[in-house]
Amino acid sequence: MKNLFVKIAAAGLLMLAPAIAEAAEGYSTANVNMRAGPSTRYPAVAVIPAGSSVEIRGCLSDLNWCDVEFYGGRGWVSGQYVQALYQQRRVYVGPQYYRPLGIPMIRFSVDNYWDRYYRNRDFYRERDRWSRGPDYYYRDRDNRDRDRDRDNRDRDRNWRERDRDRDGRDRDRDRDRDRDRDWRDDNQRGDRQRGDRQRGDRQRGDRQGDDRRGDDRRPDRRDFDCRPGDPSCDE
């Protein structure tokens, strides 16, 4: 029984040995962004300083991008910024060195990769859009931006139209107010003119009455001298 357990443990180690070996140590050749996917259009998750050591966990067969580990974080870096030690010299990681360096060729899936490493990231909320690829994401975002710009333009146009309507109502109100003021002024001028005419009529009537009263007033005999023989002097 003891020998059976030893054999099983040995078999398990042999099965794990390739997986442990399928990784290589590399070095960044510049300050490079570690991204959430194999493209410069994916969000950056960290900056790897030049000369820093990284663990290369796998690379794509059709693109020169590699999944690397840096201080416990995971992300993707272009192979043109990563070197590895091969036959006592450093070489840039490329498809021709994957097998000699023990780097597995892998595939990338936003759903699986992001579920595993980026659940706490803000961009994880848009995982469904990113899962269709960065080109689709940016095209969709451009469309959303255009829609938002169009909505903003429509909203601005509606505001301008409302402003014009309000300005038109203000002009109409001002015009009505000016018309009312002109009408009041005309009425006031008419009232003043009628008042002036009435006062003039009264003044003329008073003068005419004074004239008539003057004509009706009989002269006092003292107003003239009696002449001899004037019968009125005998009264």
Side-chain angles (χ1 to χ4, degrees):
M1 181 65 68
K2 183 177 181 180
N3 292 334
L4 179 61
F5 283 119
V6 171
K7 291 179 181 179
I8 294 173
L13 290 174
L14 289 174
M15 293 178 63
L16 290 174
I20 295 173
E22 287 181 349
E25 185 177 4
Y27 305 87
S28 63
T29 60
N31 294 333
V32 61
N33 284 319
M34 185 169 68
R35 296 187 176 273
S39 171
T40 56
R41 308 193 78 180
Y42 282 103
V45 296
V47 176
I48 302 176
S52 299
S53 176
V54 296
E55 286 290 325
I56 305 172
R57 295 298 182 182
C59 298
L60 299 177
S61 59
D62 54 344
L63 293 174
N64 191 17
W65 280 80
C66 297
D67 176 19
V68 302
E69 182 176 351
F70 175 69
Y71 277 98
R74 291 288 288 271
W76 290 81
V77 177
S78 173
Q80 62 182 337
Y81 295 107
V82 179
Q83 289 183 333
L85 190 62
Y86 176 68
Q87 295 181 352
Q88 305 303 315
R89 62 190 179 92
R90 287 187 177 185
V91 296
Y92 281 97
V93 174
Q96 69 273 27
Y97 296 112
Y98 292 171
R99 185 179 294 275
L101 293 172
I103 300 173
M105 288 186 293
I106 59 176
R107 294 181 179 180
F108 171 70
S109 170
V110 167
D111 293 335
N112 295 334
Y113 199 86
W114 286 26
D115 282 344
R116 186 177 302 173
Y117 301 115
Y118 301 136
R119 284 183 175 273
N120 61 338
R121 298 280 185 163
D122 291 338
F123 55 78
Y124 182 82
R125 292 175 296 184
E126 296 189 289
R127 184 191 59 172
D128 293 339
R129 288 194 177 95
W130 281 107
S131 64
R132 302 180 185 181
D135 293 336
Y136 178 87
Y137 172 80
Y138 279 100
R139 183 169 62 250
D140 184 53
R141 190 183 67 175
D142 293 341
N143 292 334
R144 282 179 288 159
D145 291 341
R146 284 194 294 271
D147 292 340
R148 184 170 59 251
D149 293 339
R150 185 167 57 250
D151 292 340
N152 291 335
R153 288 194 298 270
D154 294 341
R155 185 167 57 252
D156 293 340
R157 185 171 60 251
N158 292 335
W159 276 110
R160 289 195 297 271
E161 290 176 354
R162 283 195 289 269
D163 291 340
R164 284 198 298 270
D165 293 340
R166 185 170 57 251
D167 293 340
R169 290 192 297 270
D170 292 340
R171 286 194 297 271
D172 293 340
R173 186 170 58 252
D174 293 339
R175 187 169 57 250
D176 293 339
R177 187 165 52 245
D178 293 339
R179 187 168 55 248
D180 292 340
R181 185 172 56 248
D182 294 339
W183 181 80
R184 289 194 299 270
D185 293 341
D186 292 340
N187 287 338
Q188 291 174 356
R189 282 195 297 271
D191 293 339
R192 285 196 299 270
Q193 291 174 356
R194 285 193 296 273
D196 293 340
R197 286 196 298 271
Q198 291 174 358
R199 283 193 297 273
D201 293 341
R202 285 196 297 272
Q203 291 174 357
R204 285 194 296 273
D206 293 340
R207 285 196 298 271
Q208 291 175 357
D210 293 340
D211 293 341
R212 285 195 297 272
R213 284 193 297 274
D215 293 341
D216 295 339
R217 190 172 55 245
R218 296 181 63 182
D220 191 354
R221 68 182 54 180
R222 289 172 300 182
D223 292 340
F224 59 91
D225 296 332
C226 292
R227 292 181 181 179
D230 189 346
S232 61
C233 292
D234 296 335
E235 294 179 1

